[in-house]
Amino acid sequence: MRDKFAKSMTMFFRFFADTFFAKRYGHRAVVLETVAGVPGMIGGMLIHLRSLRKMERGKGTQIQELLDEAMNERKHLMFFIEIAQPNRFERFLIVVAQFIFWHFYLIMYILSPSTSHKMIAYFEEEAVRSYDEYIKLIQSGEIENVPAPQLAIDYYKLVPDATLLDMVRQVRWDEQRHSKANHRMAGF
C-alpha cells in the first residue's frame, strides 16, 4: 500500500511537470530542482531533531547523507538557473511549488519516513528519465549544446570547454545515486 501511494504521488507530480513544461527541460529543471532540495533537508532535519530529543547518536551518517543530497540538488538548481534564465512567473511558481511541497513532505515524513523515502526514490527515477530525454534532445540538436556554466565545470571538475550535455550527464548520475540512496533508506 505504501509503495502504491509513493508511486501514485510521483505520477501526480510528474503530470504537473509534463503539463506545464512539456519539452522546456531547462525551465522544468529549475522548478523541479527547487523542489528536489526539500526532501533531504526535511529528512536530515527531522532525524537530527529526533537524535537530539532522544539524546543519542542516532543516524549521523544518514543525516549527513540527506543534507548532502539537499545541497547537491541546490547546486543543480544554480546550474539550470544560468541555462534557463527563469522569468518572474517561473520564479513565483518556484516559491509556490516549494511552499506547497515543503508542507506536504514535512507531514508525510512525520507520518511515514520510509514511504517518504520511497516516493523520493521514485521522484529521482523520474528525474533520470527526464534527463535521459533532455540528453536525447541535446544530442539530436533540438536543444543547443551550449557551454556548461562555470559553476558546473568547477563543481564536477569538468574540462574547461564542457558543454550542457556534459553537465546534464553528471546531473543525471547524481539523480540516479539519490534514487538508490532513498530506496535503501526506505527499507521496504
Side-chain angles (χ1 to χ4, degrees), residues 75-141:
K75 285 290 190 180
H76 295 172
L77 172 64
M78 297 300 115
F79 306 155
F80 286 109
I81 284 174
E82 286 191 41
I83 298 293
Q85 301 291 314
N87 61 36
R88 285 184 186 192
F89 177 70
E90 289 166 332
R91 288 175 184 268
F92 171 74
L93 184 63
I94 287 166
V95 171
V96 171
Q98 191 178 69
F99 178 83
I100 291 168
F101 190 72
W102 172 270
H103 291 90
F104 167 78
Y105 194 75
L106 176 66
I107 292 166
M108 187 173 166
Y109 203 94
I110 289 168
L111 296 175
S112 179
S114 60
T115 303
S116 300
H117 283 294
K118 188 58 107 171
M119 182 181 78
I120 298 308
Y122 291 141
F123 275 26
E124 299 291 5
E125 288 174 7
E126 289 299 319
V128 168
R129 286 185 194 97
S130 289
Y131 286 120
D132 283 342
E133 293 169 22
Y134 198 1
I135 288 168
K136 286 177 189 172
L137 291 171
I138 296 167
Q139 289 173 328
S140 73

Side-chain angles (χ1 to χ4, degrees), residues 149-163:
Q150 189 62 46
L151 183 62
I153 292 170
D154 295 343
Y155 183 73
Y156 289 121
K157 297 175 179 58
L158 299 171
V159 296
D161 62 343
T163 64

